[in-house]
Amino acid sequence: MDGIWGTNFHTNPKTQIFSQPFGARIQSAGCAFAALLANGNVVTWGDPTFGGDSGHVQVQLQQVQQIYSTYYAFAALLSDRSVVTWGDPAFGGDCTEVQSQLRHVQTISGTVGAFVAICADGLMLSWGNVTRRLKGRTVFLNCPRPP
């Protein structure tokens, strides 16, 4: 789809991209962009290998609350507090290793090559290009649970 933001948009065909371009929040990665629209849908563009193509997860990218990024990948926090990722797997674009534990996620943070998520029960999960000591490891934080 061509438009005012360039070409190679990957989105649900029912999403109205241009009806509310100023209501979008933009997140960037090294070679791609993701726009979180006011209606909770996501539009991506840029290098397809590095997050510019979200087509394989587009059906899941509904009711998105926030988008996070590493250098070559994106993670979306959904309203049900689950997570959807896309982009280069080596940079966090594939969370399969920890997907079953990514529930009740409170926040996500990205580095150059990895993501970490903190869940409501204090569980901290990391995926992407992390050290062997941390990859896929579950850590419980000693912090109070949110109300």
Side-chain angles (χ1 to χ4, degrees):
M1 173 180 287
D2 293 342
I4 59 173
W5 291 346
T7 60
N8 293 330
F9 283 102
H10 298 279
T11 183
N12 182 327
K14 295 180 182 176
T15 301
Q16 296 298 315
I17 298 170
F18 304 111
S19 65
Q20 47 188 321
F22 299 109
R25 289 181 282 166
I26 309 292
Q27 183 70 35
S28 64
C31 301
F33 298 93
L36 174 55
L37 304 180
N39 65 4
N41 291 331
V42 174
V43 178
T44 59
W45 68 99
D47 190 313
T49 305
F50 302 127
D53 180 359
S54 59
H56 65 288
V57 295
Q58 193 57 235
V59 172
Q60 298 171 287
L61 290 174
Q62 308 295 316
Q63 299 180 351
V64 175
Q65 299 292 305
Q66 185 70 36
I67 299 175
Y68 304 88
S69 65
T70 63
Y71 197 67
Y72 290 137
F74 294 96
L77 181 59
L78 307 184
S79 62
D80 68 359
R81 312 314 284 179
S82 64
V83 176
V84 176
T85 60
W86 69 97
D88 188 330
F91 286 80
D94 180 1
C95 64
T96 305
E97 193 171 326
V98 294
Q99 183 75 54
S100 65
Q101 296 173 289
L102 284 171
R103 299 289 178 252
H104 309 291
V105 173
Q106 299 302 299
T107 190
I108 299 171
S109 185
T111 65
V112 171
F115 289 107
V116 63
I118 299 175
C119 301
D121 61 1
L123 182 67
M124 182 175 68
L125 298 163
S126 59
W127 68 95
N129 189 6
V130 295
T131 67
R132 286 185 184 176
R133 291 174 41 199
L134 294 176
K135 188 167 187 170
R137 186 171 178 194
T138 57
V139 177
F140 283 94
L141 301 177
N142 187 14
C143 58
R145 292 184 182 183

